Amino acid sequence: MKTLEVDLGHRSYPIHIGSQLLSNSDLLKPHIQGKSVVIVTNETVAPLYLGTLKTQLSNYRCDSIVLKDGEAHKNLETLNTIYTRLLEQRYDRKTTLIALGGGVVGDIAGYAAASYQRGIPFIQIPTTLLAQVDSSVGGKTAVNHPLGKNMIGAFYQPQCVLADTEVLKTLPPRELAAGLAEVIKYGLLGDREFLLWVKDNMDALKDCDNATLTTAIERSCQMKAEIVAADEREGGQRALLNLGHTFGHAIETEMGYGEWLHGEAVGAGMVMAAEMSRACGWIKQEDLDLAKEVIAAADLPTQPPSKMTPDTFLQHMARDKKVIDGSLRLVLLKALGHAVVTADFDQAALMATLERE
Ligand SMILES: NC(=O)c1ccc[n+]([C@@H]2O[C@H](COP(=O)([O-])OP(=O)(O)OC[C@H]3O[C@@H](n4cnc5c(N)ncnc54)[C@H](O)[C@@H]3O)[C@@H](O)[C@H]2O)c1
Ligand SMILES: [Zn+2]
């Protein structure tokens, strides 16, 4: 097992990564302050892992709330069912909320914990690769509003994160690949050596080899934790984590959520960011080829859907959160393993990328 510390002063917390962590109660107990625990999970994850987790918590008053599966349920109504259950059962401010699931469960449970009685202790047990390397680290919690994704939320840090690689074995391959997109992202944005390591170990990663996954998750969380520690509320550096996401969000929005998984759109988006960096003359052709090769090896798309025109891209990109005072900022590569957030790029390079010349 590997342990990382997210360094946020008195709100610092550990991330434990390894296999069979779910059946190791010694990891959880130091982080549970009161006598009661409520597990929030969903109908897909509950039959697989809720029993094992509950067995570890037999010394506590322990309830579970099983949500419907899917992004469509990441909303205020679901949030309210959590509050209602907690209130009906008279759970007090010392109750620890545990999120057992992917990013959807983690985001909803995290915001429930941030807001119930002005904040109760919270533990993340992410069960998708995406949640283990991305959403469970950094303290962003949210639900969707009919008028926008993740529009209601808070920054709220957990007491600890347990990333058990064993649970990834039941993940559908498309979901695993979507998580690998974020792993590749860390290599592209800040660590060329790690990118090469991911390329060389792709088969073991796709086969869910515990030790290989542990290394990949550890390096990914380390990079995210460092960026978050330096910039918790996204003033600057944290935007680097959006590599490939401005193009990717345009694809997701145009295709309708669900058609392309987030990680798939980010895969194609990262290729576009690399292509544009090449068109700006910042990276070499062989770097672009390598980026594409790794993304393709993860079974991710390397180009946007054919129906995406430059106009549809530009329309969606104009609404991106990184647009400040009307100028579009993009995360681009100055070198492989070195990303920058910049509004200072050649417009012709952007158009060439969108036109897919
Ligand atoms: N808070 C953040 O910083 C942050 C960052 C990135 C993404 N997110 C959010 O995360 C969400 C996406 O997360 P996700 O990709 O984990 O999706 P998800 O939570 O919908 O999980 C994907 C699917 O896998 C299933 N599943 C989960 N664990 C499983 C397991 N071990 N075995 C089998 N099936 C399993 C889920 O039930 C679901 O059907 C989005 O809502 C996004 O906004 C948040
Ligand atoms: Zn992402």
Side-chain angles (χ1 to χ4, degrees):
M1 183 185 82
K2 303 280 182 167
T3 300
L4 294 173
E5 191 76 16
V6 182
D7 186 7
L8 291 166
H10 68 283
R11 289 169 301 122
S12 298
Y13 61 91
I15 304 174
H16 301 297
I17 307 155
S19 64
Q20 311 290 359
L21 303 191
L22 208 58
S23 42
N24 181 350
S25 61
D26 293 346
L27 295 173
L28 277 179
K29 283 183 179 153
H31 302 287
I32 301 175
Q33 291 148 19
K35 294 190 176 65
S36 348
V37 179
V38 175
I39 303 165
V40 179
T41 184
N42 76 17
E43 58 197 6
T44 305
V45 178
L48 295 167
Y49 305 112
L50 182 59
T52 310
L53 180 59
K54 275 192 150 175
T55 310
Q56 308 312 313
L57 297 167
S58 54
N59 292 335
Y60 299 88
R61 175 184 176 202
C62 178
D63 261 323
S64 50
I65 303 176
V66 180
L67 308 176
K68 293 209 179 85
D69 190 356
E71 182 75 28
H73 303 286
K74 185 178 153 180
N75 56 26
L76 290 161
E77 202 184 320
T78 304
L79 186 67
N80 202 36
T81 63
I82 299 177
Y83 296 144
T84 303
R85 279 284 293 282
L86 294 173
L87 287 166
E88 277 173 357
Q89 305 292 323
R90 300 181 190 281
Y91 278 104
D92 65 13
R93 298 175 63 179
K94 289 223 172 98
T95 305
T96 297
L97 214 61
I98 300 184
L100 174 72
V104 169
V105 166
D107 276 12
I108 305 178
Y111 188 59
S115 51
Y116 183 69
Q117 301 197 6
R118 302 193 183 86
I120 58 173
F122 171 50
I123 291 173
Q124 286 265 24
I125 306 186
T127 62
T128 64
L129 182 58
L130 181 128
Q132 294 187 349
V133 299
D134 190 357
S135 61
S136 68
V137 184
K140 283 190 183 176
T141 70
V143 296
N144 301 329
H145 185 278
L147 296 180
K149 194 170 145 61
N150 293 331
M151 283 298 133
I152 315 294
F155 284 93
Y156 196 64
Q157 304 294 344
Q159 308 293 313
C160 88
V161 180
L162 281 193
D164 187 337
T165 53
E166 198 64 37
V167 305
L168 301 179
K169 297 196 161 82
T170 53
L171 207 57
R174 256 183 93 186
E175 296 288 351
L176 186 77
L180 286 172
E182 306 286 352
V183 172
I184 294 168
K185 178 186 81 178
Y186 294 108
L188 283 171
L189 77 85
D191 188 345
R192 186 170 189 278
E193 283 302 304
F194 179 57
L195 184 73
L196 296 171
W197 179 91
V198 171
K199 173 173 163 280
D200 291 342
N201 289 277
M202 191 59 88
D203 288 340
L205 289 168
K206 289 198 284 189
D207 286 345
C208 285
D209 175 68
N210 283 317
T212 316
L213 280 169
T214 299
T215 305
I217 296 164
E218 183 191 16
R219 184 65 189 124
S220 300
C221 289
Q222 208 173 36
M223 291 182 70
K224 181 155 186 187
E226 274 168 23
I227 293 172
V228 168
D231 179 21
E232 191 180 356
R233 287 174 183 253
E234 201 156 336
Q237 286 296 96
R238 192 163 178 161
L240 292 176
L241 296 169
N242 287 326
L243 176 64
H245 282 59
T246 304
F247 297 113
H249 285 153
I251 297 172
E252 278 185 285
T253 313
E254 181 63 23
M255 300 304 284
Y257 287 100
E259 191 66 32
W260 276 47
L261 295 178
H262 171 75
E264 292 170 340
V266 168
M270 289 189 298
V271 173
M272 293 180 78
E275 281 169 347
M276 186 170 158
S277 308
R278 172 75 194 119
C280 290
W282 296 345
I283 63 170
K284 293 180 277 198
Q285 183 62 39
E286 63 198 70
D287 295 332
L288 170 59
D289 293 342
L290 176 64
K292 260 194 209 169
E293 190 191 335
V294 185
I295 292 163
D299 302 327
L300 291 162
T302 54
Q303 40 185 338
S306 51
K307 77 177 222 194
M308 291 292 294
T309 64
D311 271 352
T312 48
F313 265 112
L314 288 172
Q315 271 169 26
H316 293 303
M317 288 166 70
R319 286 190 220 112
D320 191 86
K321 273 186 278 187
K322 286 185 295 309
V323 174
I324 295 179
D325 298 334
S327 77
L328 176 66
R329 294 188 311 149
L330 288 171
V331 186
L332 297 171
L333 299 171
K334 283 283 177 175
L336 214 57
H338 177 52
V340 291
V341 188
T342 180
D344 187 17
F345 51 75
D346 184 1
Q347 199 65 27
L350 173 61
M351 289 318 294
T353 304
L354 298 182
E355 280 156 13
R356 319 215 35 76
E357 284 168 344

